[in-house]
Amino acid sequence: MEERYNAQKTEKKWQEFWEEQKLFAVKEDTELPKFYCLEMFPYPSGRIHMGHVRNYVIGDVITRYKKMRGFNVLHPMGWDAFGMPAENAAIKHGIHPSKWTRENISYMKEQLKKMGLVYDWQREVTTCNPEYYRWNQWFFLKMLERGLAYKKTSSVNWCPSCETVLANEQVINDGCWRCDTTVGQKELEQWFFKITAYADELLKDAGTLSEWPEKVVTMQRNWIGRSEGVEVDFRIAGSDRKLRIFTTRQDTLYGATFMSVAKKHPVVAELVRDEEIIKNIEALSDDPEEKQGVFTGCYAENPLTGDNIPVYAANFVLMEYGTGAIMAVPAHDQRDFEFAKKYDLPIKVVIVPERRGEVFSPLLEKHGSAQADAYKLQKAFEDDGVLVESGPFSGLTSEEAREKIADFLEKEGLAKKVVNYKLRDWGISRQRYWGTPIPIIYCSSCGIVPVPERDLPVVLYQDVQLSGKGASPLSEVRDFVVTKCPKCGGNAKRETDTMDTFVDSSWYFIAYCLGGNEKIDFTSSLRTGEKTSPLQYWMPVDQYIGGIEHAVLHLLYSRFFTKVLRDLGLVEINEPFSRLLTQGMVIKDGAKMSKSKGNVVDPDFLVNNYGTDTVRIFSMFAAPPERDLEWSDQGVDGAMRFLNRIWAFVYNNHDNLCISGSGRLKDISCFQAQASQLLRKTHQTIKKVTNSIERDYHFNTAIAALMELVNETLAFSPANDDERNLLRFTIKQVILLLSPFAPHFSEELWRETGESQSVFNEKWPAWDEDIAREEEIELVVQINGKVRAKIMTAAGLDDETVKGKAFSDPKINEIIKDKTPKKVIVVKGRLVNIVI
């Protein structure tokens, strides 16, 4: 054994060993319980960063631990390889996106291996491989057959910088999720996936995600946005035409003083004849923050008041949302309030607080005339309250009025109760090159024709000129575009848009189960009418790990895809991920690590200078996984010192520790005090580490417990063979417990202490509850929160006995004297707080 731990030499040795032995390659085994652990796969940008490292080490620790607990663990890795960054890099550097992507994959794969991350590389997937993306195309065709894929002209989110369409979920605070450029609207023909067909089920099943962070579940619920309301018809004055609106606030109908419609609403084209008005409507800004509008010259009749109210074309109303028309209630909607103020439109108060505050005049009598208040409003009153000036519904609370007004409108044939969703269908067309070709052919005779399954994959043409601007470069490639119609054999053209890359990541976790790129085959199971057994065995993912930034986009799409695959007869599950962990960010100098801030720490530098296991220990010890990790160079040094102390101790006691056949441990009662305490501490640590991992993956408390045990072990000097046997036992438990966190270090020490097989083929240690139980504990007694006494007492006493011990202490008696305590609080049998 070398005197000093050589991280680089040792880590290389064991990484090669794990790979040669295929120690973490698995296949289905119904005799073993399965565990599917998965981190969100990376985009191959060139190098992994510390955020990647933290994410992947969390999964690696869980994988190693579960294997030692006897699980058959699937832990795969792949590459989310399509996407705009590769296309942009190719343009910048003058190389093909495929070359750039594959070179990055090669480099990053070596980085992952150097971090000691054990994956079943036989199952690797790369989404830009035709063997993979042919199944994107196959799913598209299956959805097309079921009416879940369709094409329509639509006003879409358009990023002028990326020059491509964005799904609603990809617009963050009115900016592009990739480049932050302000997103506008553009009319384009687009392909959509009908995710709204699953809206109700996606919402309902969110309630089953009990092991997901509540914040993520709430974000999904809010994005789906189920709302119960009414669709109300407003008749256009002087016409048979009606404007239909959806509202959840029918209690405010009496306060509707104008209407707003999308500038592309059919009523505009049908009824507006004034050329100047049409020109002004067309000139409306696409930026909804500006709140622009043009009076159409039309009026609509409020069905409850009979008043004719003006109809405005407004830039903040979109045809894709609801009916493309809204009733405007400026007194009770802030956007309408600002619009009304800008265009000098009436503001009518019909809801007042049950107790009037600063917003409304305190002099007005309850349910009296409220319109004087309209002039005092500094902003809209959007809360529930009591109805005023609302005909027979005045005096009702908002909640009561919503129900009664809905019933009245439905009875009179003026409206119907409906359920609406904020969720919109998923636009998947992208006007870029580096993505999955959409398997559609356009024939002048036959129309839209799907590519036959036998002709899949439609391979992405390689010889293209990339500019990053305008339409997809595929549209300029005649050899790709020009084809024959599979129906009539006539001349035809291919679709040149590619799929949103979120399609790639919506089912990759299933591809791993089937064995990776070349082994994926869904058609065989459909032909035989049987489910694929690997999917039956492995799915769902037991533990999924990734960033909170994917709470809506990727996770919602993956849930949708899983339900579609279930309905295709490919899986039996309803949800893809049983348990979700959203790890925190890595922070340095008070900010998230990024190149632009100049605070990036290079993982390669850390591995080369400290060793992988030091980096792993620090990353897991510095914070619980769901919290942000504050980077600390001192913390990395501390992690290295911890490992070096263990190494030095084993080196100095090597002859004793590597003796095999050390015999059975004596009963704890046979040891002297220091030895019995070490044995007890060992079992307590096994319990603490195991529970910290099992309950909430709080690896920081697990490592802290190990540090305490190491401190006690290093202070122990065995006096006889039994105590030397105890020391060997304790050190071996330390190595086993440490192995998921510092795997190379632990493998090396395991061999140095006389063992012959991999530490990861060993069983996880088990504790003895009787040995772990403390014989005596220190009972802290407080009076009004101040410590007044400390008493040594037996462990495990019930609360009443603990109280008796506290009150019998002379110091406590002296302070309390004849006072009667107001309250006595016992905390875990170790602390008593007497309130007097």
Side-chain angles (χ1 to χ4, degrees):
M1 182 180 183
E2 295 182 12
E3 183 176 0
R4 293 185 179 276
Y5 177 58
N6 185 327
Q8 282 67 36
K9 177 182 173 182
T10 303
E11 289 170 0
K12 186 173 186 296
K13 166 187 170 181
W14 289 108
Q15 287 162 15
E16 290 174 353
F17 173 82
W18 297 327
E19 193 161 0
E20 288 167 3
Q21 297 295 312
K22 293 183 169 55
L23 203 61
F24 290 85
V26 292
K27 59 183 180 181
E28 297 75 43
D29 185 347
T30 55
E31 298 299 314
L32 293 175
K34 70 92 179 178
F35 191 87
Y36 186 177
C37 181
L38 184 63
E39 306 95 63
M40 294 179 185
F41 65 169
Y43 183 80
S45 57
R47 286 175 175 266
I48 63 170
H49 52 69
M50 284 310 301
H52 284 133
V53 170
R54 190 182 188 203
N55 185 16
Y56 303 146
V57 169
I58 290 169
D60 192 75
V61 169
I62 295 169
T63 294
R64 293 175 184 274
Y65 166 76
K66 287 292 185 179
K67 177 176 171 58
M68 296 174 76
R69 290 301 301 264
F71 286 85
N72 191 27
V73 186
L74 174 59
H75 188 219
M77 177 51 73
W79 311 96
D80 194 5
F82 270 142
M84 208 146 49
E87 194 169 333
N88 292 340
I91 295 166
K92 181 179 179 180
H93 301 295
I95 61 173
H96 197 279
S98 178
K99 185 174 187 295
W100 185 84
T101 299
R102 295 182 194 284
E103 286 177 355
N104 288 348
I105 287 173
S106 178
Y107 187 84
M108 291 174 71
K109 190 171 181 178
E110 286 307 306
Q111 283 188 297
L112 296 180
K113 289 182 177 180
K114 284 179 70 175
M115 289 302 303
L117 304 169
V118 284
Y119 295 109
D120 187 350
W121 286 109
Q122 298 174 127
R123 297 173 180 266
E124 182 178 9
V125 300
T126 306
T127 61
C128 64
N129 284 359
E131 297 89 353
Y132 184 89
Y133 68 71
R134 71 163 291 177
W135 297 103
N136 286 347
Q137 297 170 343
W138 188 80
F139 293 137
F140 178 94
L141 296 179
K142 291 300 173 187
M143 290 193 198
L144 191 66
E145 290 173 7
R146 290 173 165 253
L148 295 174
Y150 65 93
K151 191 175 190 181
K152 70 172 183 178
T153 299
S154 172
S155 178
V156 295
N157 302 309
W158 179 260
C159 175
S161 175
C162 299
E163 294 203 8
T164 193
V165 170
L166 302 176
N168 293 328
E169 295 86 349
Q170 293 166 328
V171 181
I172 312 297
N173 297 325
D174 299 322
C176 172
W177 72 288
R178 293 189 188 95
C179 66
D180 290 331
T181 301
T182 300
V183 173
Q185 296 293 307
K186 191 172 184 176
E187 290 285 323
L188 286 176
E189 274 201 311
Q190 298 286 293
W191 284 99
F192 290 82
F193 282 158
K194 196 167 186 172
I195 191 172
T196 54
Y198 288 82
D200 201 50
E201 188 180 355
L202 287 165
L203 185 64
K204 176 176 66 69
D205 286 355
T208 69
L209 304 175
S210 59
E211 294 190 90
W212 283 35
E214 185 56 38
K215 180 181 179 181
V216 175
V217 176
T218 299
M219 290 170 75
Q220 294 234 335
R221 285 191 176 118
N222 290 343
W223 189 262
I224 296 166
R226 185 182 190 275
S227 55
E228 295 182 5
V230 290
E231 283 185 348
V232 186
D233 289 333
F234 285 67
R235 188 176 61 82
I236 300 291
S239 164
D240 291 334
R241 189 74 163 79
K242 293 179 180 178
L243 272 179
R244 177 163 293 177
I245 63 100
F246 171 81
T247 182
T248 60
R249 292 297 307 268
Q250 56 268 27
D251 55 323
T252 66
L253 254 167
Y254 280 87
T257 59
F258 64 97
M259 299 193 74
S260 300
V261 298
K263 62 182 183 179
K264 296 293 184 182
H265 197 288
V267 77
V268 174
E270 289 175 24
L271 300 180
V272 179
R273 293 289 178 263
D274 188 296
E275 292 296 330
E276 188 67 23
I277 293 176
I278 293 172
K279 183 180 176 181
N280 291 338
I281 290 173
E282 289 174 349
L284 285 172
S285 168
D286 286 332
D287 181 3
E289 291 300 311
E290 292 186 36
K291 297 183 181 63
Q292 294 180 355
V294 175
F295 176 46
T296 63
C298 301
Y299 291 84
E301 182 182 311
N302 185 319
L304 287 183
T305 66
D307 296 339
N308 283 336
I309 58 178
V311 178
Y312 275 71
N315 67 333
F316 54 81
V317 184
L318 301 175
M319 279 304 301
E320 285 66 42
Y321 287 83
T323 64
I326 62 171
M327 67 171 191
V329 186
H332 306 294
D333 181 276
Q334 186 60 27
R335 183 181 58 187
D336 296 342
F337 178 83
E338 292 170 11
F339 191 90
K341 286 286 189 182
K342 182 174 181 177
Y343 292 99
D344 196 25
L345 293 165
I347 299 174
K348 181 181 179 182
V349 174
V350 292
I351 307 282
V352 295
E354 291 194 53
R355 293 183 179 181
R356 296 189 179 172
E358 295 178 2
V359 174
F360 294 92
S361 168
L363 300 176
L364 284 171
E365 292 184 8
K366 192 174 182 181
H367 312 324
S369 175
Q371 297 325 305
D373 289 345
Y375 299 99
K376 296 182 175 64
L377 287 178
Q378 300 302 309
K379 61 179 181 178
F381 176 69
E382 296 181 313
D383 295 340
D384 281 0
V386 175
L387 271 66
V388 296
E389 301 205 15
S390 297
F393 306 104
S394 295
L396 297 177
T397 65
S398 291
E399 185 176 0
E400 293 168 339
R402 280 194 286 272
E403 184 177 348
K404 290 186 180 299
I405 290 175
D407 289 342
F408 172 79
L409 289 170
E410 197 165 48
K411 182 181 177 182
E412 296 296 317
L414 299 171
K416 63 177 180 178
K417 296 177 184 177
V418 295
V419 173
N420 235 345
Y421 293 91
K422 177 185 171 187
L423 181 68
R424 293 293 173 261
D425 284 339
W426 174 11
I428 65 159
S429 296
R430 297 294 178 268
Q431 292 68 48
R432 298 303 290 255
Y433 165 68
W434 193 235
T436 300
I438 295 174
I440 287 293
I441 291 170
Y442 299 101
C443 174
S444 57
S445 299
C446 306
I448 296 176
V449 182
V451 173
E453 287 183 28
R454 65 178 180 274
D455 294 339
L456 299 181
V458 177
V459 177
L460 187 64
Y461 201 81
Q462 295 295 299
D463 187 11
V464 294
Q465 296 297 316
L466 300 176
S467 67
K469 303 296 180 183
S472 166
L474 289 173
S475 62
E476 303 298 321
V477 182
R478 189 176 189 282
D479 288 350
F480 177 81
V481 174
V482 176
T483 187
K484 295 292 184 183
C485 174
K487 263 189 172 181
C488 69
N491 292 332
K493 292 184 178 181
R494 291 191 186 278
E495 170 67 73
T496 58
D497 282 355
T498 54
M499 292 188 197
D500 181 4
T501 53
F502 276 101
V503 175
D504 307 336
S505 58
S506 293
W507 65 278
Y508 78 105
F509 43 88
I510 287 175
Y512 290 137
C513 300
L514 297 173
N517 280 340
E518 289 78 14
K519 299 174 184 175
I520 305 169
D521 185 6
F522 290 102
T523 56
S524 59
S525 64
L526 285 183
R527 282 196 301 270
T528 59
E530 296 177 0
K531 304 289 191 300
T532 1
S533 59
L535 296 183
Q536 292 262 59
Y537 181 78
W538 291 115
M539 289 299 294
V541 175
D542 295 284
Q543 181 62 62
Y544 200 35
I545 306 162
I548 190 71
E549 66 271 18
H550 299 292
V552 172
L553 288 166
H554 163 60
L555 292 172
L556 187 64
Y557 294 155
S558 296
R559 295 181 61 217
F560 164 60
F561 249 74
T562 299
K563 294 177 188 303
V564 172
L565 266 60
R566 176 204 62 199
D567 292 346
L568 287 171
L570 297 172
V571 296
E572 291 186 337
I573 57 171
N574 293 321
E575 291 291 334
F577 314 120
S578 296
R579 188 175 183 182
L580 175 68
L581 171 63
T582 53
Q583 88 282 355
M585 296 184 296
V586 181
I587 307 293
K588 188 172 188 289
D589 304 328
K592 179 184 177 181
M593 281 190 183
S594 70
K595 290 179 182 178
S596 62
K597 292 186 174 68
N599 64 348
V600 171
V601 177
D602 182 9
D604 288 350
F605 170 82
L606 294 170
V607 170
N608 293 333
N609 287 272
Y610 290 94
T612 287
D613 285 348
T614 292
V615 179
R616 291 170 62 111
I617 289 288
F618 168 73
S619 297
M620 297 299 97
F621 179 61
E626 73 278 7
R627 302 273 184 87
D628 289 347
L629 183 156
E630 183 71 40
W631 186 262
S632 164
D633 294 336
Q634 294 79 11
V636 177
D637 290 334
M640 187 169 67
R641 286 195 301 272
F642 169 61
L643 295 179
N644 285 339
R645 289 178 70 214
I646 300 172
W647 184 271
F649 183 81
V650 174
Y651 175 80
N652 292 327
N653 293 272
H654 187 257
D655 290 345
N656 174 39
L657 293 174
C658 68
I659 296 172
S660 59
S662 54
R664 185 180 179 84
L665 274 179
K666 293 180 68 173
D667 187 87
I668 189 170
S669 61
C670 299
F671 285 114
Q672 296 296 317
Q674 189 184 20
S676 64
Q677 175 55 30
L678 179 61
L679 180 57
R680 181 177 295 108
K681 186 69 173 179
T682 302
H683 282 267
Q684 289 173 342
T685 304
I686 296 170
K687 180 179 181 179
K688 178 69 172 177
V689 172
T690 304
N691 288 340
S692 292
I693 297 174
E694 284 286 344
R695 288 177 184 170
D696 47 22
Y697 299 140
H698 277 196
F699 306 129
N700 56 321
T701 60
I703 293 171
L706 270 168
M707 289 176 172
E708 288 182 13
L709 177 60
V710 167
N711 288 340
E712 199 156 320
T713 304
L714 269 55
F716 179 66
S717 298
N720 53 50
D721 286 345
D722 288 330
E723 291 187 353
R724 279 186 282 275
N725 193 23
L726 169 61
L727 182 62
R728 281 191 292 273
F729 169 78
T730 297
I731 283 294
K732 287 184 185 292
Q733 305 314 298
V734 167
I735 296 169
L736 290 167
L737 295 173
L738 186 63
S739 60
F741 307 102
H744 315 83
F745 182 86
S746 301
E747 285 275 33
E748 190 70 12
L749 284 187
W750 193 243
R751 293 295 175 91
E752 290 293 351
T753 54
E755 301 296 338
S756 58
Q757 67 171 356
S758 169
V759 69
F760 297 106
N761 284 330
E762 297 292 332
K763 290 183 178 179
W764 186 256
W767 73 89
D768 184 311
E769 194 64 55
D770 290 334
I771 297 175
R773 188 177 296 114
E774 291 276 10
E775 288 187 342
E776 275 195 329
I777 61 165
E778 183 180 68
L779 176 64
V780 177
V781 185
Q782 298 176 337
I783 295 180
N784 294 340
K786 289 188 176 182
V787 176
R788 297 299 187 181
K790 294 181 179 179
I791 308 164
M792 295 308 297
T793 185
L797 299 178
D798 61 67
D799 286 358
E800 290 306 313
T801 306
V802 169
K803 288 179 188 177
K805 295 278 185 184
F807 281 104
S808 64
D809 184 81
K811 293 180 183 176
I812 301 303
N813 267 319
E814 178 63 27
I815 296 170
I816 292 178
K817 294 182 178 177
D818 57 353
K819 299 185 181 79
T820 302
K822 296 178 181 177
K823 189 187 295 183
V824 181
I825 303 165
V826 180
V827 182
K828 294 183 178 179
R830 291 177 176 268
L831 183 145
V832 177
N833 184 24
I834 303 168
V835 181
I836 59 173

